[in-house]
Amino acid sequence: MDEKKKVILKLEHISQSYVVNSQVKDAVEDVSLEVYDNEFLVILGPGHCGKTVLMNIIAGLEKPVGGAVYLDGEQVEGSDKRIGMVFQSLALMPWKTVMANVEFGPEVAGVPKEERRKTAQKYIDLVGLKGFEKSYPHELSGGMKQRVGIARAYTNNPEILLMDEPFGQLDAQTRYAMEEEVLRIWEKEKRTIIFVTNNIEEAVYLGDRIVLLSNCPAKVKEIYDLKNLARPRNTTDPEFLRIRTEISDNTDLAL
Amino acid sequence: MSNTVNKDENKVRVEHLTKFFGDLHVLDDVSFNIKKGEFLCVVGPTGCGKTTFLNLLTRIYMPTKGELYIDNEPADPKKHNLAVVFQEPSSMPWLTVEQNLRFGMEIKHLPKHEIDKRVENIINLLGLQEFRNQYPHQLSISTAQRIIIGRAFAMQPDLLLMDEPYGQMDIKLRFYLEDEVIRLWREMGTTVVFITHNIEEAVYLAERVLILTNKPAKIKEEVKIDLPRPRDVSSPEFIEIRNHITDQIKWW
């Protein structure tokens, strides 16, 4: 089965360090990873370092001190429109409507209005925000704002979607709702998704594979293949809970 | 200190609690009792009015109708000792850990030797000796929250209200902190109302769970939980209760 999987993204020996108070702090240490086409890959990190750095490096927002990222076999230099991002902080423009936020990418890229409206409307409908096109972000709930962020990322038609702890600020129930939503959207519009979280239950619910990172500096500690855990997954299924416990036992308690 | 409370005595009585904000009906005729030393969890769908419910219990809001009694008297924050723990740690940033722990008791003019005794007890129970002279900004979020919870227990409140104190913490940390709060509760015999969105957490902690309906919130069901502690979240009995409560409130 592995031979048939197409590798779309490759991280080779990625390392990142910063100088903090004139000392070198390692954030990411020698991370190598292959990401398959259209898979839902979860990067799970219990600690406070490395995850967002790794996302930023893949998105081309920062340059690693060591290693390289390859997309479709070519090295990624700087930001690339084939890689889209959904931020934890949303990064919506508060003075723009839902529609204007979602169509912003193609607008900047010079796509004619009619065409970009059509694409934007398609993804607004897909994330369940039909009827809210003219609303402003402050009129929406936390879950709805995240939907705008997801629609915006899809509208740019990326090959790879990076989601950096998008549901970190939501309550437990809204989080379940959004996890179901993101899977529903992914089933309809297959993309490669790299989803970062520190929540083990969320990781087991979503991932085809889970890459477990160690605490600072982030290294790949283990990769779990959950392809055989049938979807839709049930968070109280014994096998689900067994995997959750296994991963939890493999992480350090970060008090 | 041992837990010698009479478990059959009603500490808190909530009668016909109703709240309107203008036309918005948030809470609808909610009545229940809390026994002395009980650990009660309140769950409900997102946006059902859990926080309003809590704010009525703390007297931050006054009810439109109904009353809350503590030891058979209308609850009064000046007379009764109500402690609240919020989702975000609410320590005083200019005070050390130890000063934070003392703060509430000093306001209540407890004698110094009593404050000393309680602070030592809490610091020992939490294992926080090494942090006593540190300031909140030097602590992790979880440690800061442990201090706040310790401070609340040290007050030996008539009623301790906790509003989703472990909201965004992941299971490993959450189970650790939940075990710790159970240890404090058993040691101190405090009457606790714990509000959460997380059903697994409610089943892990509570002796009894109140399930609220959507707005206007009423009590939909009351579930007694007498599973032995520490509870096994993978056991069939635990999962059955968790699934049952989820079915009652599921909107997602």
Side-chain angles (χ1 to χ4, degrees), chain A residues 168-177 180 198-201 235-236 241 244 248-249 251-255, chain B residues 44-46 140 142-143 146 168 170-173 175-176 197 200 233-234 239 242-243 249-252:
Chain A
Q169 306 294 330
L170 303 177
D171 70 74
Q173 297 169 18
T174 308
R175 190 189 265 256
Y176 286 141
E180 284 182 17
N198 67 1
N199 184 304
I200 298 173
E201 185 179 59
T235 53
T236 54
L241 290 169
R244 196 184 75 164
S248 172
D249 289 346
T251 60
D252 303 320
L253 180 66
L255 264 183
Chain B
T46 300
S140 67
S142 58
T143 304
R146 294 165 70 207
Q168 302 303 343
D170 194 23
I171 48 169
K172 186 136 189 166
L173 186 54
F175 287 143
Y176 178 90
H197 278 93
E200 182 177 47
V233 298
S234 317
I239 290 171
R242 183 179 164 191
N243 284 338
I249 63 171
K250 185 160 180 172
W251 58 268
W252 60 94

Side-chain angles (χ1 to χ4, degrees), chain B residues 51-111:
Chain B
T51 299
T52 299
F53 176 77
L54 183 99
N55 286 337
L56 289 167
L57 297 185
T58 57
R59 315 305 267 181
I60 290 173
Y61 299 151
M62 293 310 282
T64 309
K65 220 184 81 194
E67 190 48 275
L68 167 70
Y69 299 93
I70 295 178
D71 294 329
N72 294 317
E73 289 175 284
D76 178 356
K78 292 197 202 88
K79 185 193 287 172
H80 296 114
N81 194 343
L82 302 170
V84 192
V85 176
F86 298 99
Q87 185 166 344
E88 302 292 328
S90 54
S91 49
M92 317 291 169
W94 63 91
L95 298 178
T96 64
V97 165
E98 181 173 347
Q99 289 163 344
N100 263 292
L101 288 171
R102 303 182 75 90
F103 184 77
M105 293 185 274
E106 282 170 354
I107 294 224
K108 293 268 181 188
H109 301 298
L110 262 65

Side-chain angles (χ1 to χ4, degrees), chain B residues 177-237:
Chain B
L177 297 171
E178 286 165 0
D179 287 341
E180 185 169 86
V181 86
I182 290 295
R183 206 167 68 231
L184 286 166
W185 164 70
R186 289 185 136 176
E187 194 71 28
M188 314 284 289
T190 312
T191 309
V192 179
V193 174
F194 189 107
I195 292 184
T196 180
H197 278 93
N198 187 320
I199 295 148
E200 182 177 47
E201 177 168 60
V203 180
Y204 193 71
L205 292 174
E207 294 182 286
R208 186 159 57 113
V209 177
L210 291 185
I211 306 172
L212 299 183
T213 65
N214 241 320
K215 249 197 281 283
K218 290 182 282 291
I219 295 175
K220 184 167 195 179
E221 197 185 322
E222 209 186 291
V223 180
K224 280 209 161 54
I225 302 175
D226 48 15
L227 298 173
R229 297 178 195 272
R231 292 176 179 166
D232 174 4
V233 298
S234 317
S235 75
E237 299 81 15

Side-chain angles (χ1 to χ4, degrees), chain B residues 9-176:
Chain B
E9 195 182 319
N10 277 332
K11 179 77 184 173
V12 181
R13 279 190 295 130
V14 175
E15 290 187 355
H16 308 297
L17 209 58
T18 302
K19 181 68 181 176
F20 282 87
F21 291 105
D23 291 338
L24 182 67
H25 193 181
V26 181
L27 215 63
D28 185 22
D29 196 21
V30 171
S31 299
F32 63 94
N33 297 330
I34 309 171
K35 293 196 192 318
K36 189 165 186 183
E38 185 173 8
F39 201 118
L40 180 76
C41 281
V42 178
V43 301
T46 300
C48 78
K50 286 190 288 290
T51 299
T52 299
F53 176 77
L54 183 99
N55 286 337
L56 289 167
L57 297 185
T58 57
R59 315 305 267 181
I60 290 173
Y61 299 151
M62 293 310 282
T64 309
K65 220 184 81 194
E67 190 48 275
L68 167 70
Y69 299 93
I70 295 178
D71 294 329
N72 294 317
E73 289 175 284
D76 178 356
K78 292 197 202 88
K79 185 193 287 172
H80 296 114
N81 194 343
L82 302 170
V84 192
V85 176
F86 298 99
Q87 185 166 344
E88 302 292 328
S90 54
S91 49
M92 317 291 169
W94 63 91
L95 298 178
T96 64
V97 165
E98 181 173 347
Q99 289 163 344
N100 263 292
L101 288 171
R102 303 182 75 90
F103 184 77
M105 293 185 274
E106 282 170 354
I107 294 224
K108 293 268 181 188
H109 301 298
L110 262 65
K112 186 178 173 298
H113 65 90
E114 178 65 20
I115 298 177
D116 291 343
K117 200 177 95 191
R118 290 194 196 177
V119 166
E120 285 319 306
N121 186 31
I122 289 294
I123 285 184
N124 286 329
L125 276 171
L126 295 175
L128 289 174
Q129 289 84 351
E130 58 179 311
F131 296 110
R132 66 190 303 153
N133 295 318
Q134 294 199 3
Y135 287 89
H137 76 269
Q138 297 172 292
L139 310 172
S140 67
I141 298 278
S142 58
T143 304
Q145 190 66 303
R146 294 165 70 207
I147 308 279
I148 298 309
I149 290 167
R151 181 174 76 182
F153 274 100
M155 295 295 292
Q156 300 185 358
D158 291 306
L159 181 59
L160 171 55
L161 301 155
M162 304 177 88
D163 189 6
E164 202 139 10
Y166 309 134
Q168 302 303 343
M169 294 173 191
D170 194 23
I171 48 169
K172 186 136 189 166
L173 186 54
R174 221 184 64 219
F175 287 143
Y176 178 90

Side-chain angles (χ1 to χ4, degrees), chain A residues 205 229-241, chain B residues 239 243:
Chain A
Y205 188 74
L229 190 62
R231 298 178 189 272
R233 293 174 182 164
N234 176 348
T235 53
T236 54
D237 173 68
E239 180 62 8
F240 187 100
L241 290 169
Chain B
I239 290 171
N243 284 338

Side-chain angles (χ1 to χ4, degrees), chain A residues 71-90:
Chain A
L71 174 62
D72 290 329
E74 288 167 44
Q75 192 169 341
V76 178
E77 307 262 16
S79 70
D80 188 307
K81 67 180 172 52
R82 290 172 295 173
I83 300 175
M85 194 145 175
V86 179
F87 298 91
Q88 176 173 10
S89 62
L90 303 155

